[in-house]
Amino acid sequence: MWQVMVKVIKTVQEDEITSGNVKDRHSAPFSPVPERTQFSRSREQTCPDRTTTWKQKALSPLWWQERILKARAGGGLGIVCRTQAFMALLLLGLNLPRAKSDCEFFESEKLCVCSLLEESEMQNFFDCLQATTYELRGGNLEQFAAFYQMEPPPHLIDILEVLQVRKLVFTDLIVPEVLLPGALEFASHPLQLSEIEFVNCTFLRMGSQRQTGRPSPLRVSSLRFHKATADSLADRCDELSGVSRWLEILKNLTLTESQITSIPCKIGQMFVGLHSLDISGNYFQDESIKSSFCHGAFPELQVLKLRHNQLTSYHAVCETIGPLNMLTHLDLSQNNFSTGFSSSAQCTWPQSLRVFNLSGTGLEHMEWSLPPNLEVLDLSANSIITLDLSLPALKELYLSNNRLQAVPPLKNLPGLEVLSVDQNQISHLPSKSLLQLKHLQILQAGHNLYNCSCPYAWELRDLASKLPALTNWPDDYTCRFPLHHRDSLVKNMSSSPLQCSQAVVTHASAVILLSSLHLFFCLFLI
């Protein structure tokens, strides 16, 4: 029977692509109401009732052979039978207690959201036929803890390999930890499944994890935990032995806003193939970072995000990250380095580092050593007054929302393509230096304190006409000085080179006249 079920699913998938009876979701679709009516009619015509009688019929291989004939006769009928195969997988193959849930399909995202807190009959699953992402929301999975030793039999693996699911999301659930190895075992078989997420879930510690005999290749490359609650990971390396073989080949791991203070050294050493680690929004401190990134931990890490933790020492982080010689992207934003500065402290960053985010870290100056081969540097949302950088490979520099009074020197930044200096205290832009940046594509310089006196207003208008990279011109460029022009657009200032020259001449003449009068009165009084 299971071989027939696999054949039905594969036949239906081919029919969906080749049959003219199945509408592509990007072609002219049916209106929502007629489409639902058509599926309802299809279920009445081709599918058995959703009672015990249906379960009895589904046990018969002859019944599945009939489904194949109908799947070949019409794609729309085949789609319905594919769902029956999926439900048979759940109810017969797993032999679990029948779970009731209410599902809703979001077509634009190809997302099916099922709530375990609601009860409904099986036909509600038909709304999710096109979904590639499935989200299970709300419920307690403790009732399934007894099934943690179950392994998928060969006929069930055949079914799993032809499913179309690409991403699984578990939200607002209570999950016994003993279920995780079994869940990953099942997740290793769907050929298109690549992402698993746990959002706002509570994990219950219920004993050691099992270790199965022969490892299955894990196709899931991304594992994400957001706002997850669990016992501390300290002294739990033995308990994670059941999932260690998957940790070794995982590529992307996210552990955000989950009140984590550290990652035990031995656990970090399990992630020998990890490329991206996001531990933002936790409670990591300078000392716990050192212990988490011990020798041998995360050896192939390329992207590290430590945003919004409790780090205070720039030098300590530099020493910790230094050995990660494959690291290309580092995010330290929204930590507090305002008091952790020491001009004498030196450290060596990985030569491989290309993207560095230090935004919102309380910096008042930037005299620390920087990675020499940076291509993207974000120093926005700080309190920097002056800055002088020498980074020949730099392509993008973000300095928005600081206290800069002038654009930093650009002579040592020849490859700059993006420069952001908006929301500072800059009074004018250095036209000559900016026009010499041959690769500049984007210049953000709005919302500054521009001086619209001669000749600054004319220079800015002239720069805007010669530099297409200037963004949000003219709306974000207003005058701050002189006072009678405050809040006026720089573009509307009528000054020109001739007018500015006349103003200079007039000013010089007035000075000469006043000086002559002063000299005349002095001689007269003598």
Side-chain angles (χ1 to χ4, degrees):
M1 182 189 73
W2 297 104
Q3 290 80 3
V4 177
M5 290 172 60
V6 174
K7 192 173 182 180
V8 168
I9 297 177
K10 290 183 176 179
T11 302
V12 171
Q13 291 172 354
E14 293 174 358
D15 288 343
E16 290 179 1
I17 299 174
T18 61
S19 174
N21 296 328
V22 180
K23 299 293 184 180
D24 182 84
R25 68 187 298 267
H26 296 294
S27 62
F30 293 112
S31 59
V33 174
E35 184 177 9
R36 182 176 295 272
T37 303
Q38 179 185 356
F39 277 123
S40 300
R41 189 182 304 114
S42 298
R43 290 197 296 269
E44 294 171 0
Q45 293 174 354
T46 66
C47 296
D49 56 21
R50 292 157 294 280
T51 61
T52 306
T53 303
W54 174 83
K55 186 174 181 179
Q56 293 173 347
K57 290 182 179 181
L59 288 171
S60 171
L62 294 177
W63 184 86
W64 286 103
Q65 291 175 359
E66 181 184 355
R67 303 278 70 75
I68 290 178
L69 295 176
K70 291 188 176 182
R72 290 173 176 171
L77 306 183
I79 292 177
V80 177
C81 296
R82 185 178 75 180
T83 301
Q84 291 177 334
F86 181 73
M87 295 308 301
L89 165 70
L90 293 178
L91 302 179
L92 303 178
L94 297 180
N95 197 27
L96 293 176
R98 182 167 179 173
K100 295 182 178 181
S101 63
D102 181 57
C103 295
E104 184 176 1
F105 177 58
F106 300 90
E107 183 175 3
S108 61
E109 304 174 61
K110 287 192 174 182
L111 168 66
C112 178
V113 179
C114 298
S115 173
L116 288 178
L117 300 179
E118 303 290 338
E119 294 187 358
S120 65
E121 295 187 6
M122 193 178 62
Q123 65 261 26
N124 286 357
F125 288 97
F126 284 85
D127 291 333
C128 294
L129 295 176
Q130 301 180 68
T132 57
T133 300
Y134 289 83
E135 179 178 351
L136 186 63
R137 179 179 296 174
N140 190 337
L141 301 184
E142 286 185 273
Q143 58 181 316
F144 301 112
F147 296 91
Y148 77 96
Q149 291 184 333
M150 184 182 63
E151 296 184 17
H155 56 259
L156 186 54
I157 292 176
D158 292 338
I159 299 294
L160 291 171
E161 287 180 348
V162 296
L163 296 180
Q164 299 297 306
V165 59
R166 299 177 183 175
K167 181 178 180 179
L168 293 176
V169 183
F170 301 92
T171 305
D172 300 328
L173 292 174
I174 298 176
V175 184
E177 292 180 1
V178 294
L179 291 178
L180 293 180
L184 290 175
E185 181 72 27
F186 276 80
S188 66
H189 297 295
L191 299 180
Q192 298 190 35
L193 181 61
S194 61
E195 299 179 61
I196 298 179
E197 293 187 6
F198 294 91
V199 180
N200 198 29
C201 290
T202 299
F203 294 89
L204 302 180
R205 188 176 185 179
M206 301 180 66
S208 300
Q209 315 297 331
R210 67 182 174 95
Q211 175 73 47
T212 56
R214 182 177 61 86
S216 300
L218 183 65
R219 296 179 178 86
V220 175
S221 60
S222 298
L223 187 59
R224 178 176 181 259
F225 297 86
H226 180 67
K227 293 186 177 180
T229 302
D231 286 351
S232 172
L233 294 176
D235 301 323
R236 298 185 63 184
C237 294
D238 293 339
E239 295 182 19
L240 294 178
S241 60
V243 295
S244 61
R245 69 178 189 269
W246 287 295
L247 300 183
E248 292 173 356
I249 58 177
L250 194 67
K251 299 302 179 184
N252 306 299
L253 177 62
T254 297
L255 303 166
T256 52
E257 298 185 31
S258 298
Q259 303 180 23
I260 302 173
T261 58
S262 66
I263 299 175
C265 175
K266 290 184 178 180
I267 294 179
Q269 291 171 343
M270 294 181 182
F271 293 94
V272 295
L274 196 70
H275 289 172
S276 176
L277 176 62
D278 186 352
I279 47 178
S280 301
N282 286 293
Y283 300 148
F284 285 89
Q285 298 180 356
D286 300 330
E287 291 301 320
S288 62
I289 281 292
K290 290 181 180 180
S291 62
S292 299
F293 290 84
C294 63
H295 178 72
F298 312 106
E300 295 188 6
L301 199 63
Q302 299 174 16
V303 178
L304 175 59
K305 298 182 180 180
L306 283 161
R307 177 178 178 270
H308 197 230
N309 275 276
Q310 298 180 358
L311 306 175
T312 60
S313 173
Y314 182 88
H315 180 69
V317 175
C318 179
E319 286 187 328
T320 301
I321 302 303
L324 299 177
N325 55 18
M326 296 183 67
L327 194 68
T328 62
H329 184 128
L330 178 60
D331 185 353
L332 298 177
S333 62
Q334 295 190 34
N335 285 282
N336 186 6
F337 296 132
S338 60
T339 59
F341 172 76
S342 174
S343 58
S344 60
Q346 297 294 325
C347 68
T348 302
W349 291 98
Q351 296 289 317
S352 57
L353 201 57
R354 297 292 184 271
V355 180
F356 198 11
N357 190 344
L358 285 168
S359 63
T361 52
L363 299 177
E364 296 182 359
H365 36 70
M366 192 63 219
E367 298 179 8
W368 297 319
S369 60
L370 286 169
N373 300 318
L374 280 183
E375 296 180 0
V376 179
L377 176 60
D378 191 345
L379 295 172
S380 58
N382 284 296
S383 300
I384 300 173
I385 299 176
T386 60
L387 186 67
D388 192 358
L389 299 174
S390 180
L391 296 169
L394 196 66
K395 296 180 179 180
E396 300 180 21
L397 177 59
Y398 298 93
L399 298 170
S400 302
N401 196 17
N402 274 283
R403 296 166 57 193
L404 292 171
Q405 298 180 1
V407 175
L410 302 174
K411 61 180 180 180
N412 294 322
L413 306 172
L416 211 57
E417 298 177 0
V418 177
L419 175 60
S420 178
V421 291
D422 53 309
Q423 300 184 65
N424 278 279
Q425 301 176 12
I426 297 172
S427 60
H428 71 281
L429 299 180
S431 300
K432 183 177 180 180
S433 298
L434 290 170
L435 292 173
Q436 288 176 346
L437 294 175
K438 302 301 181 182
H439 304 286
L440 191 63
Q441 300 177 11
I442 298 176
L443 173 60
Q444 297 176 330
H447 301 292
N448 276 292
L449 308 181
Y450 286 113
N451 187 343
C452 290
S453 301
C454 282
Y456 302 122
W458 175 83
E459 287 181 350
L460 184 53
R461 290 168 52 202
D462 183 63
L463 178 64
S465 65
K466 296 179 180 179
L467 193 65
L470 192 63
T471 63
N472 299 323
W473 171 269
D475 296 337
D476 292 349
Y477 299 80
T478 58
C479 301
R480 181 71 174 181
F481 304 104
L483 293 179
H484 60 276
H485 287 314
R486 177 169 292 185
D487 297 330
S488 299
L489 291 178
V490 176
K491 180 184 178 181
N492 294 334
M493 295 297 98
S494 58
S495 58
S496 65
L498 179 60
Q499 291 173 327
C500 288
S501 299
Q502 292 175 344
V504 171
V505 172
T506 302
H507 177 72
S509 301
V511 170
I512 294 173
L513 178 60
L514 291 175
S515 300
S516 300
L517 290 174
H518 178 73
L519 179 60
F520 172 77
F521 282 112
C522 288
L523 293 174
F524 178 77
L525 292 175
I526 292 174

